[in-house]
Amino acid sequence: KALSVDNLFVFILVFSFFKVPRELHHKVLFYGIIGALVMRAIFIFAGVEIINLTYLPAFEIFGKSVQINIVMTLFGLFLVYAGIKSWGGGDDDEDQDFSETAGARLIKKLYKVSDNYDGDKFFTIQNGVKVATPLLVVVAVIEFTDVLFAVDSIPAIFAISKDPFILYTSNI
């Protein structure tokens, strides 16, 4: 529940930063959910396969057989690092410039972006040229933000099970 509240807080900040009209929130969140379903399926199903391939040969420590997994060890170290970083406070999300995130930069690199929304369209025509609207930038920012949340939360679920179906459905 705490992770969901964190997601909602960031989504509200993104909507506020890009001045997304209230009637477009549903469309952005709809595409955000579809993207989350796809990306988390890829992360989880690929992650299970990668984990299964990265076990080191078993060895004995204090008379017990131990088998270390390289990927799980790296995930664990990352989670410890993320925990320490978040414990120290740090970034004030309210002052963040979302127009410079990876999602926004990608869209701006691929398309010329108009300054104004055109209803619920992702693309519009300006001066005879097809350009992206800020709505596409917002969806990209939401998608990349969700990827960051997934990188932080998905490694932790692998401690519960190695069954990708259970992991995926519980994550959804």
Side-chain angles (χ1 to χ4, degrees):
K1 288 181 181 180
L3 290 174
S4 298
V5 171
D6 191 28
N7 290 8
L8 290 174
F9 178 69
V10 171
F11 296 160
I12 289 168
L13 290 175
V14 170
F15 288 157
S16 175
F17 179 84
F18 286 104
K19 296 175 181 51
V20 179
R22 192 159 190 76
E23 62 271 8
L24 299 179
H25 289 191
H26 179 270
K27 184 170 185 168
V28 172
L29 293 174
F30 174 79
Y31 281 99
I33 290 168
I34 297 300
L37 294 173
V38 171
M39 293 304 293
R40 287 169 191 254
I42 292 168
F43 285 169
I44 290 169
F45 286 90
V48 167
E49 290 305 312
I50 291 170
I51 287 169
N52 289 335
L53 294 172
T54 58
Y55 279 99
L56 295 175
F59 59 94
E60 292 214 13
I61 295 181
F62 303 116
K64 292 198 175 211
S65 180
V66 176
Q67 193 172 17
I68 295 176
N69 185 288
I70 296 168
V71 170
M72 291 298 285
T73 302
L74 292 174
F75 279 164
L77 291 172
F78 174 75
L79 289 174
V80 169
Y81 167 77
I84 290 170
K85 189 173 177 185
S86 68
W87 183 41
D91 299 348
D92 188 9
D93 289 336
E94 293 183 33
D95 296 333
Q96 186 168 352
D97 182 0
F98 291 103
S99 66
E100 294 302 319
T101 61
R105 286 194 321 257
L106 176 66
I107 295 300
K108 290 176 182 177
K109 186 175 184 177
L110 295 174
Y111 306 103
K112 185 177 186 312
V113 179
S114 72
D115 293 330
N116 302 314
Y117 292 92
D118 185 9
D120 67 347
K121 297 177 185 173
F122 291 126
F123 294 95
T124 189
I125 305 293
Q126 282 187 345
N127 301 325
V129 178
K130 185 176 183 178
V131 295
T133 66
L135 189 62
L136 184 65
V137 176
V138 172
V139 170
V141 169
I142 294 291
E143 294 295 348
F144 273 85
T145 302
D146 184 64
V147 168
L148 292 176
F149 283 131
V151 167
D152 198 19
S153 64
I154 287 180
I157 67 172
F158 285 109
I160 297 168
S161 173
K162 300 292 183 280
D163 181 347
F165 180 75
I166 290 172
L167 294 174
Y168 182 66
T169 54
S170 67
N171 200 264
I172 298 305

